[in-house]
Amino acid sequence: MTLHIPTTEAQACAVVKSVLDSGVPLSIGGGGTRAGLGRPTQTQSTLSSAGLTGITLYEPAEMVIAARAGTPLAEVERILAERGQMLPFEPMDHRALLGTEGEPTIGAVAAGNISGPRRINAGAARDSLIGIRLVNGRGEAIKSGGRVMKNVTGLDLVKLVAGSYGTLGFLTEVTFRVLPKPERILTLVWRGLSDETAVALLCTALGSPYEPFAAAHLPAGIGAEQPRTLLRLENFSDSIDYRSRELVALLAAHGTPERIEGEASVELWRDVRDARVFAGTDEAVWRLSVAPTDGPKATAAIAALVPGARWFYDWGGGLVRLAVPAGADAAADAIRAAIRPLGGHATLVRAPAAIRASVPVFEPLPEPLMRVTAGIKTSFDPAGIFEPGRMYAGI
């Protein structure tokens, strides 16, 4: 395996041009913590962002930060915290779930559109990503977007690249909009609710004017014996006092919730964000996206088809983290058959490489969308050298 670690964008362009001459495809690497996401690729050469580090722009008053793609996420978060700011979308850390080591990078967050529980309120990583620099499959450096959120600066291209898993180009720099850190965080916890009742509670709360920033339900056996239904409130302390009081009154039919603050609250939401309850097992892990009210319908249908399935809900029920006993196909057909009538889609997040090679990892696309996807790939990477087959076989 050949490892290329450029320290400048120009060097990255030179690497890509040399690969074009040799015809050797490239894997894209950073901190290595998410290497198991997507389909396994057959490459003998890796282009790593590990040599592209450092903050290139930080203007706290404008609430914008830019960093080279290989900059550790922890460094970005530390610098923001020193000025009382944060990334709005609470990016998931996959290390516990995937059993990987190393340091997550800010470029991988953009490339994978990695988000967490705050997405239900603050949007995904792509919604805060306002600028990129990348090297395309011709070895050309491209800049899109900038320091402000305006369509005329190329925002649509920025959003296209977010979530492309390195298949469209090699990111060298990313720019994010940031937000102030909240003065206080409070988690309300109801215990003993069924999936259906809990999701109804979460949807009522999210539809109210009291602005929960995160909403999750953990069924019995997911980190505790009793089911737990979670709502997280953030902002100024006086605002939280008022909103929590009104939410408790609105949801009085479900009983009086427990209140959790401080480190206990932080750890609870890290467990949700990182799906830690599934860490260290040999189960296949899926990520299901459905309409929030359809979450319990999806899991009930899957449970009838897949013995031993376990799950919990985030994003008010719209995101289901599902673990199933690992098998030859990781129950892919049963899972997709169960959620297809609901209009949802399923992504295989963790499974052995042999399963990820034989099962569609991402939701299969209708033929018209597959043609569009292939066309976009060709426009960015005509020779198909970046992560061939990472998202879809043959692309």
Side-chain angles (χ1 to χ4, degrees):
M1 175 67 76
T2 303
L3 179 61
H4 304 279
I5 310 179
T7 57
T8 66
E9 187 176 77
Q11 289 178 3
C13 291
V15 169
V16 172
K17 289 176 180 177
S18 71
V19 167
L20 281 173
D21 293 337
S22 65
V24 177
L26 287 169
S27 290
I28 303 298
T33 65
R34 299 184 174 94
L37 295 179
R39 301 179 70 254
T41 57
Q42 302 298 316
T43 60
Q44 298 298 317
S45 190
T46 296
L47 179 58
S48 171
S49 65
L52 298 170
T53 61
I55 307 297
T56 56
L57 168 76
Y58 181 33
E59 295 188 358
E62 299 297 326
M63 293 193 292
V64 62
I65 192 167
R68 296 185 182 92
T71 306
L73 175 62
E75 181 181 340
V76 174
E77 293 180 324
R78 176 184 59 79
I79 289 172
L80 291 173
E82 290 174 354
R83 301 299 295 267
Q85 296 181 335
M86 65 180 186
L87 295 170
F89 46 89
E90 196 176 1
M92 178 182 181
D93 185 342
H94 283 83
R95 285 177 291 186
L97 184 63
L98 299 182
T100 54
E101 298 179 350
E103 284 293 327
T105 63
I106 192 65
V109 168
N113 190 33
I114 307 298
S115 310
R118 273 183 121 256
R119 180 175 182 171
I120 194 71
N121 184 288
R126 65 161 52 94
D127 297 307
S128 295
L129 183 65
I130 59 175
I132 59 169
R133 293 187 66 91
L134 83 160
V135 178
N136 67 12
R138 301 177 180 84
E140 301 166 336
I142 294 175
K143 178 181 182 295
S144 179
R147 296 164 53 182
V148 293
M149 191 172 288
K150 293 182 179 179
N151 286 338
V152 293
T153 63
L155 184 63
D156 290 343
L157 181 58
V158 171
K159 292 185 180 298
L160 179 66
V161 170
S164 63
Y165 288 81
T167 60
L168 299 182
F170 176 68
L171 285 169
T172 59
E173 183 181 87
V174 294
T175 304
F176 282 101
R177 173 178 58 89
V178 302
L179 289 178
K181 294 190 74 171
E183 177 184 276
R184 180 184 167 199
I185 298 175
L186 169 69
T187 299
L188 301 177
V189 184
W190 286 262
R191 296 184 183 272
L193 304 183
S194 68
D195 287 14
E196 294 80 3
T197 302
V199 169
L201 179 155
L202 298 177
C203 290
T204 298
L206 289 167
S208 76
Y210 308 121
E211 199 179 17
F213 273 78
H217 175 64
L218 313 178
I222 301 297
E225 292 183 4
Q226 275 190 313
R228 294 170 293 167
T229 307
L230 317 177
L231 285 174
R232 190 173 79 201
L233 303 177
E234 303 178 9
N235 214 309
F236 298 108
S237 188
D238 288 347
S239 171
I240 287 180
D241 287 340
Y242 168 74
R243 286 155 50 218
S244 64
R245 183 171 61 249
E246 295 299 315
L247 272 174
V248 169
L250 176 67
L251 304 169
H254 301 290
T256 302
E258 176 185 354
R259 295 167 177 260
I260 301 178
E261 299 192 57
E263 190 60 27
S265 175
V266 171
E267 282 299 309
L268 178 58
W269 285 102
R270 280 181 184 153
D271 289 344
V272 172
R273 183 194 72 183
D274 300 341
R276 288 179 178 178
V277 70
F278 300 146
T281 74
D282 61 359
E283 298 163 297
V285 176
W286 291 80
R287 177 184 184 273
L288 314 182
S289 294
V290 294
T293 53
D294 287 338
K297 297 176 188 176
T299 53
I302 291 168
L305 297 170
V306 186
R310 303 189 296 149
W311 59 82
F312 68 89
Y313 307 86
D314 200 355
W315 302 352
L319 171 65
V320 181
R321 301 281 187 190
L322 172 73
V324 299
D329 65 354
D333 291 341
I335 291 168
R336 290 194 163 117
I339 67 171
R340 191 173 297 118
L342 303 174
H345 59 85
T347 302
L348 181 57
V349 176
R350 185 184 75 188
I355 294 177
R356 290 185 288 114
S358 62
V359 169
V361 170
F362 296 91
E363 187 70 21
L365 296 176
E367 183 57 31
L369 288 180
M370 188 62 80
R371 289 199 300 269
V372 171
T373 300
I376 292 171
K377 169 68 170 172
T378 300
S379 68
F380 277 82
D381 182 17
I385 63 168
F386 288 130
E387 295 283 7
R390 171 67 70 184
M391 297 188 74
Y392 300 101
I395 295 183

